[in-house]
Amino acid sequence: MTTHTLFYCPGHLSFAPHVILRELGEPFELALVSIKDGATQSAEFRQLNPKGKVPVLHTGDEVLTESSAILLYLALRFPQALLVPDTAMGLARAVEWMNWLASVLPGTVALNFHPSRFSEDPAAHDGIRAKGRAGILAAYAQIDERLAARDWALGEHYSIVDPMLLIFFKWGNMLKLDMRGFEHWAAHTERMLRRPAVATALSVEQISIWA
């Protein structure tokens, strides 16, 4: 049987596919690629992914990039795990969540973590961070509202969306936001932390959701 290989960096969007691979219980390998050390920009890695980003999943036959695509592939490749709904609307709701999280929020978060990407003028960085913080708080409030009166992102059943939410929760803690104040999301996070696959992924990556 072909073994999947996930190229990842601890604490980044690659965390969600890492969790799902562990949920599946199928054989896989991990390949650490340090963003901080510039490994994603190396010639070797760019041969694998010219975009110079993680996650990357090597299926044994093909190379797949983008967290949403990888998560959807894993769910459809292993349908017995029931990680996406089996209706057209249910699947569309999963894609709706993931597209928003994977495309809109990282840019908003980046305004706080990496203001130099948006301006080379250090005097502008505080304003960029303030703008980013306002955007993050608005988006996080929407997430919290959407999680009200439900255990998981798509309702009653755990799915590929839920690990994505967990890494954004971690980023909120890194930015010193009052994440406990997002009551419904905090409860979702506690449920996530009780899952063995999540605990193992956190241990392997040596990260904490609370820091």
Side-chain angles (χ1 to χ4, degrees):
M1 181 178 180
T2 300
T3 298
H4 293 85
T5 300
L6 178 69
F7 294 80
Y8 81 105
C9 184
H12 288 265
L13 277 176
S14 51
F15 178 76
H18 183 183
V19 169
I20 292 301
L21 283 164
R22 295 196 179 278
E23 296 278 12
L24 292 171
E26 301 288 341
F28 74 95
E29 297 178 357
L30 288 174
L32 176 62
V33 185
S34 173
I35 294 174
K36 182 179 180 180
D37 294 343
T40 55
Q41 304 309 309
S42 69
E44 181 181 6
F45 184 77
R46 280 187 170 273
Q47 285 186 339
L48 188 69
N49 182 11
K51 290 176 280 191
K53 295 181 179 181
V54 291
V56 174
L57 184 72
H58 201 302
T59 70
D61 299 311
E62 298 191 39
V63 173
L64 193 59
T65 66
E66 304 299 329
S67 56
S68 299
I70 292 170
L71 290 166
L72 187 58
Y73 162 79
L74 291 172
L76 298 178
R77 172 67 179 78
F78 300 99
Q80 69 276 12
L82 303 177
L83 289 170
V84 288
D86 60 0
T87 66
M89 182 55 71
L91 184 58
R93 290 299 184 195
V95 173
E96 178 184 49
W97 260 111
M98 293 191 299
N99 279 1
W100 183 47
L101 292 171
S103 62
V104 177
L105 286 180
T108 304
V109 173
L111 289 170
N112 274 263
F113 284 132
H114 308 290
S116 60
R117 292 181 183 175
F118 302 90
S119 174
E120 296 180 357
D121 181 5
H125 290 177
D126 285 345
I128 292 171
R129 289 190 185 95
K131 184 71 173 178
R133 191 178 187 86
I136 289 169
L137 289 172
Y140 278 26
Q142 289 184 52
I143 292 172
D144 191 59
E145 183 178 357
R146 292 185 69 174
L147 291 174
R150 60 175 63 190
D151 286 343
W152 305 109
L154 296 180
E156 296 181 1
H157 302 291
Y158 177 81
S159 75
I160 54 176
V161 178
D162 296 294
M164 288 191 76
L165 287 170
L166 194 59
I167 201 64
F168 284 96
F169 194 91
K170 171 182 172 54
W171 290 346
N173 281 310
M174 291 175 66
L175 291 170
K176 309 301 182 184
L177 303 182
D178 177 18
M179 296 305 295
R180 292 284 189 185
F182 297 107
E183 178 183 358
H184 308 298
W185 196 1
H188 174 273
T189 296
E190 294 293 351
R191 284 189 288 274
M192 287 293 296
L193 293 175
R194 291 194 289 270
R195 299 187 70 88
V198 172
T200 301
L202 288 170
S203 177
V204 168
E205 296 197 14
Q206 298 183 336
I207 60 174
S208 170
I209 293 301
W210 301 105

